[in-house]
């Protein structure tokens, strides 16, 4: 298997166009999986992101750049906004960070003295935000440990040895007494006299939720003053099966104060809880607090900054029995509990959050000037017994003065005119349409009108796929699902091609070698060889002396070639787009599916340095086309891709992305409803609504809110796919 190729595909399938450097750890994989499982609660449009995120789970490359794991949701005023950081505040915070700082070398010196194995490791700074720097300790090129420290005080916030420890068995761990002795010795060496103010509370076996970090013996300590425990002033030391320190974490003063303020709204977040885990994430910290014994419970929190705002909270279930005992509240009871909780947490600002569905608890959206503020949401789950089971919010909110005045927006009529000008036709070969009969699901091709070919239309969109800018009245498109950029490119030219009468066939290693020799002039006799089978496809793969991929991919059942590739010649970038695109179009007809008569350009990937997202070469992706109308299979992916070496101008790779390779008879396009009637039908179910956007079409946070018109269905269509049949003029929702 071409690991680089599959990493790039996994990232692209996550709809991330602009990622320049992405590396995944096993821990990242499992955290994504956990985030997906949590995001399924009434998160309507975001439900459809689960498939894209899940594509990342196939990635097994080693990585270091970790991001925030819980999608950001809304924050309010009062308790949380007392700590809220606006975009301006963030700049001020970052400016302060450029004043006198403790260097990484200075900060980590006490840790190296306490753990001799760290003494020869070099330090790399991965990220610094809100005064906390995330360091990686490297042994050669291998990442051995993560350290987070306060750049103003030099205090170590957390330390963890890297590595997947999930295979270790609890029986191999040291005894509680042995672990306590090791932890005490570490604290004395690390904190010196400061360790004397901490009292040992409990030693417990800890394994994180996704079994990545543990198990280890978690030795827990509580700071005492005048014989009394200081609320949330706790730390812990994790001792592994080798009787060595695997983890250290503490709650700093900002975190202690913040958690203390939260206890009124979240009584399960009690000062009696112990710190089990702590780590730096994208713009804040993640914590696990609690106890692992039967009498205790555990909570997971993610905070923004250094105690500025709460991003997420979760009451963890240790086992299925405990999960079953926490039945979710429903109906009016849930609504009352959620409102009481929001009032405690947000105070008067809670009135600015309204239920997305007045009859359905759990998801609240901020309103400003009576307009929805998209992406500024709060998600809540409460239990039948009144506990908060789950909570998420957007930690970075805007000040009222930052919202543009509604009077500056163009009229709805002008927005509708812009929509009409961009309504276009698209064939979808295999949409899932539920007929009225009871025969089950039926697959049939459709010709539809759509404002955006690069996306499947869903009810009540969030504006990040496409929207009409209310400032100038112009439509703005995002990069489509899986990086599809057809709408952004705005190229309507169809390229006629003469497809082969039958597929090129490869049924053996020798035939694969012969094809590579004929197509690329490559001899593979001295390269490492392997075969792989997955998802009905077979690969004949060689790796050259530089471990670069050379291979042929076929349909396992028929031997039909659906992919082949070779390395680029060097790192130079001298070939212009026109030359590269001409080479791609000349090569394409050799390997497309028989019967294809035309294609349209759907995506152009620029050349440059290779990374996990891009091979660094010119890459052109194409949709099938009929009579100048783009043709898609069921999903929003291109049909074919051709890669061109930017130094030589020669084709190096071809990929056939189609899930099915049969061609179906498509509806004729000569007898369809007019565009005007199509727009009328569309607006009946998807009227344009004036809203505030917090994010741009790439999902990035805006410097200030933006007025925009977005399609806004009623609640019943919010989670459904919307198709406008161009032949009948009828709307199909499924």
């Amino acid at each position: 298997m071409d690991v680089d190729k599959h990493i790039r595909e996994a990232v692209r399938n996550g709809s991330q166009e602009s990622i320049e450097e992405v590396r995944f750890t096993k821990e990242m994989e499992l955290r994504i999986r956990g985030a997906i499982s949590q995001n399924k609660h009434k998160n309507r449009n975001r439900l459809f992101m689960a498939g894209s995120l899940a594509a990342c789970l196939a990635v097994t490359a080693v990585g270091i750049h970790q991001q925030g794991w819980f999608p950001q949701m809304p924050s309010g005023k009062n308790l949380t906004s007392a700590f809220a950081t606006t975009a301006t505040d963030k700049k001020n915070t970052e400016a302060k960070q450029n004043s006198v700082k403790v260097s990484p070398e200075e900060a980590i010196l006490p840790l190296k003295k306490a753990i001799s194995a760290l003494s020869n490791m070099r330090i790399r700074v991965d990220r610094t935000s809100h005064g906390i720097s995330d360091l990686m300790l490297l042994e050669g090129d291998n990442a051995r440990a993560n350290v987070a420290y306060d750049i103003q005080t030099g205090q170590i916030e957390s330390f963890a040895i890297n590595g997947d420890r999930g295979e270790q068995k609890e029986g191999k761990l040291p005894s509680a007494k042995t672990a306590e002795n090791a932890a005490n010795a570490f604290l004395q060496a690390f904190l010196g006299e400061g360790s004397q103010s901490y009292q040992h509370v409990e030693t417990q076996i800890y394994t994180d939720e996704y079994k990545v970090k543990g198990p280890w013996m978690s030795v827990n300590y509580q700071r005492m003053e005048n014989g009394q425990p200081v609320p949330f002033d706790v730390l812990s030391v994790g001792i592994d099966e080798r009787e060595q320190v695997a983890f250290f974490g503490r709650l700093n003063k900002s975190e202690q104060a913040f958690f203390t303020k939260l206890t009124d709204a979240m009584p399960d977040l009690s000062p009696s809880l112990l710190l089990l885990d702590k780590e730096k994430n994208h713009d804040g910290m993640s914590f696990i607090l609690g106890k692992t014994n039967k009498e205790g419970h555990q909570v997971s929190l993610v905070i923004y900054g250094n105690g500025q705002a709460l991003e997420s909270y979760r009451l963890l279930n240790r086992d299925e029995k405990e999960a079953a005992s926490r039945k979710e509240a429903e109906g009016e009871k849930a609504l009352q509990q959620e409102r009481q909780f929001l009032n405690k947490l947000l105070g008067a600002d809670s009135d600015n959050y309204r239920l997305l569905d007045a009859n359905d608890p759990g998801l609240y959206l901020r309103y400003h000037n009576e307009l929805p503020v998209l992406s500024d949401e709060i998600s809540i789950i409460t239990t039948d017994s009144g506990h908060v089971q789950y909570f998420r919010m957007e930690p970075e909110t805007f000040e009222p003065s930052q919202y543009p005045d509604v009077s500056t927006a163009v009229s709805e009529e002008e927005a509708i005119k812009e929509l009409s000008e961009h309504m276009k036709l698209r064939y979808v070969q295999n949409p899932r349409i539920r007929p009225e009969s009871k025969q089950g699901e039926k697959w049939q091709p459709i010709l539809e009108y759509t404002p955006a070919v690069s996306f499947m239309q869903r009810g009540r969109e969030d504006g990040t796929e496409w929207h009409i800018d209310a400032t100038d009245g112009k439509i703005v498109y995002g990069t489509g699902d899986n990086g599809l950029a057809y709408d952004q490119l705005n190229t309507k030219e169809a390229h006629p091609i003469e497809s082969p009468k039958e597929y090129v066939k490869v049924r053996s290693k020798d035939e694969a070698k012969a094809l590579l020799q004929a197509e690329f002039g490559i001899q593979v006799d001295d390269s490492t060889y392997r075969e792989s089978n997955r998802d009905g496809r077979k690969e004949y793969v060689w790796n050259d002396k530089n471990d670069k991929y050379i291979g042929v991919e076929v349909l396992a059942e028929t031997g039909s070639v659906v992919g082949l590739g070779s390395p680029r010649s060097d790192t130079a970038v001298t070939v212009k787009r026109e030359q590269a695109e001409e080479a791609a179009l000349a090569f394409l007809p050799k390997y497309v599916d028989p019967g294809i008569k035309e294609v349209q350009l759907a995506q152009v990937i620029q050349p440059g340095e290779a990374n996990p997202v891009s091979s660094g070469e010119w890459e052109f992706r194409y949709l099938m086309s009929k009579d100048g109308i783009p043709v898609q299979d069921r999903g929003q992916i291109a049909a074919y891709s051709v890669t061109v070496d930017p130094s030589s101008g020669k084709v190096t790779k071809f990929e056939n992305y189609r899930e099915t390779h049969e061609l179906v008879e498509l509806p004729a396009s000569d007898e369809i409803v007019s565009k005007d009637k199509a727009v009328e039908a569309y607006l009946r179910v998807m009227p344009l609504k004036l809203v505030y956007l917090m994010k741009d079409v790439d999902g990035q946070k805006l410097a200030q809110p933006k007025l925009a018109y977005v399609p806004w269905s009623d609640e019943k269509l919010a989670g459904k796919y919307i198709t406008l049949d161009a032949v009948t003029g009828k709307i199909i929702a499924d």
Side-chain angles (χ1 to χ4, degrees):
M1 181 177 69
D2 178 5
V3 174
D4 288 339
K5 180 180 75 173
H6 290 298
I7 291 175
R8 288 193 294 273
E9 288 312 308
V11 176
R12 285 197 192 123
N13 290 344
S15 300
Q16 299 292 320
E17 178 198 35
S18 59
I19 300 173
E20 295 180 351
E21 184 177 3
V22 177
R23 286 173 283 178
F24 293 101
T25 61
K26 182 68 172 177
E27 182 175 355
M28 180 181 286
E29 170 188 328
L30 293 174
R31 285 179 174 273
I32 291 172
R33 191 188 303 277
I36 291 170
S37 68
Q38 289 301 319
N39 292 348
K40 290 182 179 179
H41 176 69
K42 296 182 176 63
N43 209 359
R44 294 172 178 85
N45 286 349
R46 285 177 175 76
L47 284 174
F48 300 95
M49 294 178 64
S52 295
L53 286 172
C56 296
L57 304 183
V59 180
T60 55
V62 173
I64 312 156
H65 295 284
Q66 299 185 1
Q67 304 298 316
W69 300 114
F70 292 86
Q72 295 177 343
M73 291 291 174
S75 155
K77 302 299 177 184
N78 195 24
L79 176 58
T80 54
S81 71
F83 301 95
T85 302
T86 63
T88 303
D89 294 331
K90 187 173 181 179
K91 290 180 181 178
N92 293 337
T93 301
E94 291 170 349
K96 291 178 182 178
Q97 292 172 8
N98 292 325
S99 58
V100 179
K101 296 183 293 188
V102 178
S103 70
E105 291 75 16
E106 292 176 288
I108 208 169
L109 189 59
L111 194 59
K112 284 188 172 183
K113 289 180 179 179
I115 305 176
S116 59
L118 306 180
S119 58
N120 294 323
M121 294 185 187
R122 62 187 178 90
I123 302 171
R124 186 182 72 201
V125 180
D126 276 354
R127 178 178 176 82
T128 300
S129 63
H130 302 282
I132 304 296
S133 192
D134 195 18
L135 312 178
M136 181 64 67
L137 302 187
L138 303 165
E139 194 170 47
D141 292 330
N142 298 316
R144 297 301 189 196
N146 284 93
V147 179
Y149 85 99
D150 187 311
I151 62 175
Q152 299 298 325
T153 66
Q155 176 172 290
I156 300 294
E157 300 292 323
S158 67
F159 160 80
I161 294 292
N162 282 352
D164 186 348
R165 309 167 56 80
E167 297 300 319
Q168 299 293 339
K169 296 181 179 179
E170 293 183 5
K172 293 185 178 181
L173 292 172
S175 67
K177 188 62 178 177
T178 300
E180 290 160 20
N181 289 337
N184 288 336
F186 165 75
L187 288 180
Q188 289 172 9
F190 179 54
L191 299 180
E193 292 184 1
S195 65
Q196 297 176 11
S197 61
Y198 286 91
Q199 176 179 302
H200 173 252
V201 178
E202 187 171 336
T203 300
Q204 48 195 327
I205 297 173
Y206 173 71
T207 301
D208 70 293
E209 188 176 8
Y210 306 112
K211 295 182 170 39
V212 173
K213 292 183 175 180
W216 63 55
M217 297 298 292
S218 181
V219 187
N220 307 114
Y221 298 83
Q222 167 75 61
R223 184 178 178 86
M224 307 295 290
E225 283 187 1
N226 300 320
Q228 297 297 317
V230 180
F232 291 107
D233 194 343
V234 292
L235 61 80
S236 69
V237 181
I239 304 297
D240 64 17
E241 72 285 347
R242 298 168 297 173
E243 301 180 17
Q244 296 178 357
V245 176
F247 167 81
F248 166 77
R250 73 201 314 175
L251 297 185
N252 62 40
K253 292 190 179 299
S254 295
E255 293 158 356
Q256 294 166 30
F258 185 65
F259 289 163
T260 299
K261 289 177 180 291
L262 287 177
T263 53
D264 181 49
M266 296 172 165
D268 286 312
L269 183 62
S270 161
S272 66
L273 297 181
L274 304 172
L275 178 64
L276 297 173
D277 200 358
K278 176 181 179 179
E279 65 177 310
K280 180 86 172 71
N281 65 20
H282 181 66
D283 262 330
M285 283 284 183
S286 300
F287 307 84
I288 303 292
L289 299 176
K291 297 181 180 180
T292 61
N293 59 38
K294 293 182 179 180
E295 290 73 32
H297 64 273
Q298 296 178 34
V299 297
S300 168
L301 300 100
V302 177
I303 65 171
Y304 174 80
N306 192 5
Q308 274 79 15
L310 179 66
E311 186 172 339
S312 73
Y313 170 90
R314 209 160 34 109
L315 189 57
L316 298 180
N317 298 316
R318 291 192 303 271
D319 51 42
E320 292 183 6
K321 183 178 180 181
E322 186 174 47
S325 69
R326 292 175 179 166
K327 180 183 176 183
E328 288 185 22
E330 298 178 348
E332 187 62 30
K333 184 175 184 179
L335 293 173
Q336 290 178 358
Q337 291 180 167
E338 290 164 6
R339 184 50 67 185
Q340 289 172 0
F341 170 72
L342 290 177
N343 289 340
K344 282 186 176 181
L345 188 70
L346 308 179
D349 192 46
S350 65
D351 294 336
N352 294 320
Y353 288 94
R354 303 179 188 176
L355 279 167
L356 271 182
D357 181 349
N359 299 311
D360 191 12
L363 193 60
Y364 296 78
L365 181 65
R366 177 185 284 278
Y367 276 71
H368 183 80
N369 290 333
E370 294 301 310
L371 298 182
V373 183
L374 302 191
S375 299
D376 194 342
E377 298 172 349
I378 291 178
S379 181
I380 315 172
I381 302 173
T382 60
T383 69
D384 215 32
S385 57
H387 294 263
V388 177
Q389 175 78 25
Y390 180 71
F391 173 78
R392 278 189 322 184
M393 66 186 195
E394 168 62 51
E396 291 186 277
T397 58
F398 291 109
E399 295 298 322
S401 60
Q402 293 180 279
Y403 287 85
D405 194 285
V406 176
S407 64
T408 62
V410 300
S411 67
E412 183 179 343
E413 290 75 17
E414 189 172 342
I416 291 174
K417 181 181 178 182
E418 178 74 359
L419 170 70
S420 302
E421 291 177 359
H422 286 81
M423 189 68 76
K424 62 202 78 170
L425 291 168
R426 166 178 65 185
Y427 282 110
V428 182
Q429 288 197 135
N430 296 304
R432 178 167 289 174
I433 299 173
R434 298 181 187 273
E436 294 180 2
S437 67
K438 297 182 179 180
Q439 298 174 356
E441 293 181 345
K442 180 181 179 182
W443 296 74
Q444 62 188 53
I446 193 168
L447 175 60
E448 67 170 331
Y449 276 108
T450 177
V453 169
S454 297
F455 301 90
M456 296 298 288
Q457 179 71 63
R458 292 193 302 271
R460 197 167 285 197
E461 289 289 11
D462 63 4
T464 58
E465 296 186 349
W466 69 270
H467 63 260
I468 296 171
D469 191 321
T471 303
D472 59 15
K474 300 300 181 183
I475 197 166
V476 182
Y477 287 109
T479 300
D481 297 346
N482 297 290
L484 201 64
Y486 180 88
D487 300 292
Q488 284 186 336
L489 290 173
N490 197 30
T491 55
K492 301 177 182 178
E493 181 184 5
H495 301 282
I497 61 175
E498 187 174 339
S499 59
K501 293 182 179 179
E502 61 181 21
Y503 291 100
V504 176
K505 300 289 182 70
V506 164
R507 295 182 176 84
S508 68
K509 173 184 176 183
D510 288 339
E511 290 183 3
K513 287 173 59 176
L515 180 61
L516 291 168
Q517 169 65 32
E519 199 62 76
F520 303 123
I522 293 178
Q523 293 283 354
V524 294
D525 292 328
D526 297 331
S527 301
T528 304
Y529 175 74
R530 69 184 186 281
E531 293 182 10
S532 68
N533 287 274
R534 62 184 181 87
D535 301 329
R537 294 193 176 198
K538 181 175 183 178
E539 278 190 289
Y540 303 91
V541 180
W542 289 265
N543 289 86
D544 66 13
K545 61 182 180 180
N546 296 317
D547 202 32
K548 297 296 183 180
Y549 169 87
I550 306 167
V552 177
E553 188 173 13
V554 303
L555 299 179
E557 186 175 347
T558 64
S560 302
V561 174
V562 291
L564 67 163
S566 63
R568 61 191 288 183
S569 57
D570 59 47
T571 59
V573 178
T574 57
V575 175
K576 302 297 184 183
R577 170 176 167 170
E578 293 76 12
Q579 180 185 348
E581 191 169 358
E582 184 178 344
L585 281 170
F587 186 91
L588 189 62
K590 297 181 184 181
Y591 295 100
V592 297
D593 297 283
I596 297 295
K597 295 181 180 180
E598 61 184 47
V599 296
Q600 291 190 44
L601 187 63
Q603 184 179 358
V604 179
I605 298 173
Q606 301 283 336
E609 185 178 350
N611 59 52
V613 179
S614 171
S615 67
E617 303 174 83
W618 281 108
E619 186 174 350
F620 303 91
R621 295 190 172 194
Y622 299 91
L623 293 173
M624 297 179 292
S625 179
K626 178 190 176 184
D627 300 329
I629 301 170
V631 180
Q632 293 182 348
D633 280 334
R634 188 179 178 195
Q636 304 322 108
I637 60 174
Y640 310 109
S641 167
V642 182
T643 301
V644 178
D645 188 329
S647 59
S648 69
K650 295 181 179 179
V651 171
T652 57
K653 294 181 182 68
F654 166 81
E655 287 282 347
N656 185 328
Y657 294 116
R658 297 187 62 207
E659 294 181 13
T660 59
H661 296 275
E662 61 186 85
L663 298 180
V664 299
E665 185 177 352
L666 298 171
S669 59
D670 53 351
E671 294 185 6
I672 58 176
V673 300
S674 68
K675 183 187 288 189
D676 288 343
K677 287 189 178 297
V679 172
E680 288 178 11
Y682 181 87
L683 291 173
R684 279 197 292 270
V685 295
M686 297 289 287
L688 295 181
K689 186 175 183 64
L690 186 61
V691 301
Y692 286 107
L693 299 180
M694 292 183 64
K695 298 178 181 179
D696 62 19
V697 287
D698 293 319
Q700 301 301 307
K701 181 80 180 291
L702 293 166
Q704 67 179 60
K706 172 183 178 180
L707 280 166
Y709 286 96
V710 301
W712 192 263
S713 72
D714 62 29
E715 179 63 24
K716 288 185 288 188
L717 293 177
K720 294 184 176 182
Y721 285 102
I722 309 295
T723 298
L724 173 51
D725 191 321
V727 176
T728 66
K730 294 181 178 180
I731 293 286
I732 303 169
D734 190 10

